Amino acid sequence: MAVVGTPLAPATPATAPAVHQIKVLTVNTHKGFTVFNRRFILPELREAVRSTGADLVFLQEVLGEHEKYASRYEDWPATSQYEFLADSMWSDFAYGRNAVYPDGHHGNALLSKYPIKSWRNLDVSITGPERRGLLHCVLDVPGHDNVHAICVHLSLLESHRQLQIVLLNQLLKSLPPDEPVIIAGDFNDWKQQGNAALCQRDDLHEVFARHHGQLAKTYPARWPLLRLDRIYLRNASSHNPEILGNKPWTHLSDHLPLAVEVHL
């Protein structure tokens, strides 16, 4: 499991009031395009993400760079997509580059209203051309030593996903057992075998399964049938989990976003 990472931001002053509630959003951005890449809608996606008021935004399939698209679309941002989405609303961001190709690269990203103390991108690719990663960030949330955020995008292949779940469990075991952990993203786990493996842990819960008795249907966005996207918590409680299933979300990606209030 290869690791790339670097410290990012100074810590929050110790005098800041303690934070006990964080709003979390996870969305597969589909590289800023509608289904089948018919239309570039990143500016619309940014407005939709901003409207949620989320403190933490977990992004999958976000472009770091793409030279061909940049020359083709007049409204293509001058910065990376994750910086464009962060704009002035999220002070900190981290990007884990996974897939690299001649025109550019894409991966996972985290946008945060709290300082990111450190981050690392864990390469959990198995074999073949499909590249996947776990973006692990350590956040400086006032009132807490560390809050861990792990942005996930797993393989399309079941055998690969099972191995990646093992690697995710290894990461969890390496973290201090009493610190809050938020895991969110696109698990591509349509058979729910990965969820079954994660739910064997006594210290972890998936927010929709806990509140509604089943995982959220998120794919395809306009007629959701498959339960691919998840939010798991450790040492934190979940409140008001929500599938963002109305316009404009149904037209902004091939996945529906998920949101939840996390109480620390």
Side-chain angles (χ1 to χ4, degrees):
M1 185 163 54
V3 180
V4 177
T6 185
L8 288 183
T12 302
T15 55
V19 171
H20 299 293
Q21 180 175 316
I22 295 175
K23 185 167 185 180
V24 169
L25 176 73
T26 180
V27 56
N28 184 316
T29 69
H30 201 243
K31 303 171 188 171
F33 290 87
T34 57
V35 179
F36 305 122
N37 296 335
R38 288 174 176 166
R39 191 163 62 90
F40 177 63
I41 44 76
L42 191 68
E44 297 170 51
L45 180 62
R46 180 172 70 173
E47 292 309 306
V49 170
R50 289 170 65 91
S51 72
T52 67
D55 301 299
L56 299 180
V57 182
F58 294 70
L59 302 171
Q60 305 89 53
E61 282 194 43
V62 61
L63 281 170
E65 180 181 293
H66 200 291
E67 294 180 2
K68 184 179 293 184
Y69 288 158
S71 62
R72 182 181 300 173
Y73 297 97
E74 292 184 1
D75 53 350
W76 194 264
T79 62
S80 64
Q81 287 191 350
Y82 55 90
E83 291 177 273
F84 178 78
L85 290 168
D87 194 29
S88 59
M89 192 164 180
W90 290 274
S91 60
D92 282 47
F93 47 80
Y95 170 65
R97 184 176 65 180
N98 296 328
V100 181
Y101 28 84
D103 290 317
H105 49 84
H106 74 263
N108 300 330
L110 182 79
L111 313 182
S112 175
K113 291 184 179 179
Y114 304 104
I116 299 177
K117 298 166 67 173
S118 64
W119 67 273
R120 53 181 175 165
N121 193 45
L122 308 178
D123 184 356
V124 294
S125 308
I126 306 302
T127 58
E130 189 183 53
R131 313 308 298 171
R132 300 293 180 179
L134 304 175
L135 177 62
H136 171 216
C137 299
V138 182
L139 310 178
D140 186 17
V141 179
H144 308 275
D145 290 337
N146 293 307
V147 174
H148 300 267
I150 304 171
C151 189
V152 174
H153 191 190
L154 299 188
S155 175
L156 296 170
L157 298 176
E158 180 66 46
S159 60
H160 289 193
R161 285 197 301 275
Q162 290 300 313
L163 294 172
Q164 289 161 351
I165 290 292
V166 171
L167 295 174
L168 175 58
N169 268 317
Q170 290 177 1
L171 170 58
L172 289 170
K173 289 178 183 178
S174 74
L175 304 180
D178 57 342
E179 294 182 345
V181 182
I182 305 168
I183 309 166
D186 176 4
F187 282 71
N188 275 317
D189 182 32
W190 61 278
K191 292 183 177 180
Q192 301 185 38
Q193 293 185 17
N195 181 63
L198 287 172
C199 288
Q200 291 178 5
R201 301 180 60 100
D202 295 332
D203 59 349
L204 202 68
H205 78 272
E206 203 286 326
V207 303
F208 287 87
R210 169 155 299 184
H211 288 267
H212 302 300
Q214 57 186 357
L215 302 169
K217 291 182 179 180
T218 57
Y219 184 88
R222 297 195 187 187
W223 301 279
L225 298 172
L226 301 180
R227 307 176 191 275
L228 302 187
D229 299 87
R230 316 276 169 77
I231 302 174
Y232 294 91
L233 302 179
R234 187 172 87 175
N235 298 324
S237 60
S238 51
H239 300 264
N240 304 317
E242 182 182 6
I243 305 170
L244 304 184
N246 298 320
K247 288 183 178 181
W249 295 109
T250 51
H251 293 71
L252 295 180
S253 176
D254 55 348
H255 288 245
L256 292 177
L258 302 179
V260 69
E261 294 175 8
V262 175
H263 291 198
L264 304 175

